[in-house]
Amino acid sequence: MIKTRVIGGLAAGLLAASPASAGMANAFGNTIVSHYPNGQWVKHFFEPDGRYTSQFSDGRRLSARWTAEGDKICLSGFSPRQILPRFCSRMVEAEVGDSWQARDPLGRSIRNELVAGRR
């Protein structure tokens, strides 16, 4: 099975037919979950048209736009506004069930996991 590139950390428009969008195909329709050492989590949802949303374990929600820039995925246009107006993270190759280490926008260590479906 061919692995697809997805965002490395925390996870703004591209057309569905663009090469970057194709590189994110395994993220579309699935969920990237960032696990923190203290038990908190963030669920990340990417859409082919550049939309991004997230849900935090404390109930907060966030939306933004994503763009691919070289080997990175960048988020910008956050709502509600965030301390950082833009955040970029490296892309990694992942299939459903894979996990990888990364850092969140504040530099904290997280473990990301690509899980099947929207949870």
Side-chain angles (χ1 to χ4, degrees):
M1 182 179 269
I2 297 174
K3 292 190 174 191
T4 300
R5 294 163 52 142
V6 295
I7 189 168
L10 173 68
L14 295 176
L15 298 174
S18 73
S21 184
M24 290 283 291
N26 277 358
F28 305 144
N30 292 314
T31 305
I32 298 173
V33 182
S34 296
H35 300 275
Y36 286 83
N38 66 2
Q40 293 180 326
W41 49 263
V42 179
K43 295 178 181 179
H44 308 275
F45 309 102
F46 291 86
E47 302 298 339
D49 65 1
R51 289 178 293 139
Y52 164 85
T53 57
S54 60
Q55 177 184 353
F56 293 75
S57 54
D58 65 6
R60 289 179 295 134
R61 293 184 181 269
L62 180 76
S63 65
R65 301 289 300 168
W66 70 268
T67 56
E69 298 180 14
D71 65 346
K72 296 180 187 272
I73 293 293
C74 297
L75 300 174
S76 62
F78 292 101
S79 179
R81 291 184 68 159
Q82 301 296 299
I83 295 170
L84 298 174
R86 176 176 160 88
F87 176 72
C88 296
S89 183
R90 70 178 173 86
M91 278 197 259
V92 299
E93 291 186 0
E95 293 180 16
V96 170
D98 287 351
S99 64
W100 62 97
Q101 294 299 124
R103 300 240 176 233
D104 76 358
L106 300 177
R108 298 174 293 191
S109 182
I110 56 175
R111 180 180 60 83
N112 288 326
E113 178 182 18
L114 181 60
V115 297
R118 293 293 169 102
R119 301 185 183 195

